[in-house]
Amino acid sequence: MTLPAASTYRTLADSDDLWWRSAVIYQVYVRSFSDDNGDGTGDLAGVRSRLGYLKQLGVDALWFNPWYPSPLADGGYDVSDYRSIHPSFGTLGEAEALIQDALALGIRTIIDVVPNHVSDQHPWFQAALAAGPGSPERERFWFRPGRGPDGDEPPTRWPSNFAGDTWTRTVNPDGSPGEWYLHLFTPEQPDLNWTHPDVHREHEDILKFWFDRGVAGVRIDSAALLVKDANLPEVPLTPAPGEHPNTDRDELHDIYRSWRAIADSYEGTRVLVGEIWLPDVERFARYLRPDELHTAFNFDFLARPWNAAELHESIETTLSAHAPVGAPSTWVLSNHDVTRPVTRYGREDTTFAFASKRAGTPTDLALGLRRSRAAALITAALPGSLYIYQGDELGLPEVEDIPAELLQDPMHFRSLGIDPGRDGCRVPLPWSGTAPPFGFSPANASTSPWLPQPIGWRELTAEAQQSDPTSMLRLYQSALRIRAEEPDLGDGRFAWLSGAPDVLTFTRGDTFLLVANLSAHPVDLPDHQRVLLTSETLVNGMLPSDSTAWLEVLPSATENSDRPHHSA
Ligand code: NOJ
């Protein structure tokens, strides 16, 4: 296919410079979204064919998990070429066409960049292995001799987010044991050395490569991990802020300032979205200062249990942390790394923590679905941008019975099987029909989907849900339509109202009011002009347990708020 010159790529530049402050962003895990060519793996042609579905859902942007060539040792977060597309997904030309097709529907594209590490098959790492100790090629990574008399102890004992070791020893060309290299994740994901100018230059160039092709933003993987203390000290028991040897180091901010300058040099607002898991909200907010990242994922809310006081505290802490830097918050119920909300909220322990993930925990999926519906309306009404992970709009549960031999996630294997891993939230979507592959692959597909779909998903297909006005899909469609129409939703004013115990009540602007009943009993609704949407049917005018209502009220109803307003 012939490509237009970079300057002719269309963007939505003129329409709305502040789009990112309130956008609804749908996360596409390409491998599991839609398979056009029948090889059992989702692809870009599959996404293009479903753009109408995404438009109807009402999203403003798509975030694609890494779509680059990769050995898939970590689901694509092991990138071997940042300027191309995985051959199973399609071609660069198809990606460019997809970006443009989506834009024609008013939908922007955000891509994933992975700057902390590359694939061990990346040409830089292959060159470093071949060039040997002391070579300039090894300077782009963290190669070090081992400790101990024979060098057979790793240079540090840093823990890995994936359990297991963070250093792997190389073998010299003559077969003798060689240097070690650092990998905070799997050995197939060697960490880059961000003190090296090549590493900076390369990533700045990658950003330009994709911005030139019309992408509206980048999601930055493991954004708080790039910089390491070159002295390689051990991790202190309680590191002082900025003194952890591999997390949240102060030098990171200069990197993001230079990325921001690149983003700002393009027309339209190109956004930088950080994947930042940091418990210290003040440190988290520092990444969102006006000349750094635009937004970062707010993971606090998804880690909290289904409990009004906890969610109240999470919302309050989040808004208070963002206010001083003027950045909008993001709201995220799940992603490709965590347990699906329908499953999590259906358990006795509704918190999320990687270490507490357990397959086989008793789960009430009907309760989980009910709470997920209520949670969807809470997050969609909070100020800032909203992320929806593919399949959450269908209320898909975590798949917990994938046969062991089909599991792929290194988190599972590196935990020695204790962590069930993340495959259960990555199962291919059910689109239509009554039997697998449920329209994910064409009827004449040569292979089954790369992970098997439960037979029970026949009731959860997009097709079945579209014709059921009470379905999760229809709830999401209604919520996003109202969100788009209501000027008070998205970015803007927020205030709490005091309500009954275990009930969250807040207002947006002058006339929008949300009530979420997390108590065990139905509650009365406050005076209102109109019910805009509820996650469950009202019973005798009352809001049942585990449900949320969106109300239109008179401006006077929002006057007795009990907290200061947060405004953008
Ligand atoms: C965060 C990504 O979301 C996750 O899927 C990946 O395994 C790690 N970063 C490492 O890249």
Side-chain angles (χ1 to χ4, degrees), residues 94-149:
E94 281 179 281
E96 290 167 326
L98 170 56
I99 294 166
Q100 294 305 310
D101 284 0
L103 274 179
L105 295 174
I107 299 175
R108 292 172 163 92
T109 294
I110 295 175
I111 57 158
D112 218 313
V113 293
V114 188
N116 181 66
H117 43 267
V118 297
S119 162
D120 63 348
Q121 299 307 308
H122 189 284
W124 279 9
F125 192 71
Q126 287 297 313
L129 286 180
S135 60
E137 287 83 350
R138 288 204 172 186
E139 289 300 310
R140 294 175 178 143
F141 298 90
W142 293 97
F143 281 91
R144 288 288 184 281
R147 291 189 298 189

Side-chain angles (χ1 to χ4, degrees), residues 29 63 65 74-75 77-78 112 114 116-117 161-162 185 189 219 221-222 275 277 335-337 409-411 422 426:
Y29 195 78
W63 152 35
N65 287 104
D74 179 22
Y77 284 93
D78 47 320
D112 218 313
V114 188
N116 181 66
H117 43 267
N161 287 343
F162 274 10
F185 296 92
Q189 295 165 291
R219 177 264 190 193
D221 185 65
S222 305
E275 190 219 10
W277 296 81
N335 62 29
H336 63 293
D337 290 332
D409 184 12
M411 256 186 141
R422 300 165 295 177
R426 299 176 177 181

